Amino acid sequence: YSYDELIPLLREGGKFDPTNPGIHINSWDFNRISKLGFDSGFSDIQKSQFQSSYHPFLQAQDIDLMHPVMSLYVDLYKTN
């Protein structure tokens, strides 16, 4: 499968189980977050990296210590 073929299959049938909230039922990628961000009024959306956000608070040493290699980092900017 290509990525574009596989993602809809992985997202199919996801249902929240309140007895096991740690199970992932959704998947996010940069394209999906970008579309949602633009649709929500954000004017600039940039892919970022671990501890490389534009905002100093998100550059802290204690942010996302569990899975920084597996995480997706995105900065969304909204102007007035």
Side-chain angles (χ1 to χ4, degrees), residues 1 3 5 11 15 18 25-27 30 34 37 39-42 48 52 59-61 69 72-74 79:
Y1 293 99
Y3 181 80
E5 293 170 323
R11 291 179 180 157
K15 184 176 178 186
I25 61 167
N26 207 336
S27 59
F30 182 73
S34 293
D39 290 350
S40 300
F42 288 89
S48 188
S52 296
Q59 296 171 5
Q61 298 296 315
V69 175
L72 173 64
Y73 300 93
V74 182
T79 56

Side-chain angles (χ1 to χ4, degrees), residues 17-54:
D17 178 358
T19 64
N20 198 356
I23 299 296
H24 287 222
I25 61 167
N26 207 336
S27 59
W28 292 93
D29 60 20
F30 182 73
N31 290 338
R32 190 172 185 201
I33 290 174
S34 293
K35 181 179 180 341
L36 180 64
F38 282 122
D39 290 350
S40 300
F42 288 89
S43 57
D44 186 16
I45 300 170
Q46 301 292 322
K47 196 169 190 176
S48 188
Q49 297 178 33
F50 177 61
Q51 297 178 335
S52 296
S53 173
Y54 77 97

Side-chain angles (χ1 to χ4, degrees), residues 51-67:
Q51 297 178 335
S52 296
S53 173
Y54 77 97
H55 195 284
F57 176 79
L58 297 174
Q59 296 171 5
Q61 298 296 315
D62 61 345
I63 298 292
D64 194 17
L65 298 178
M66 296 289 291
H67 302 288

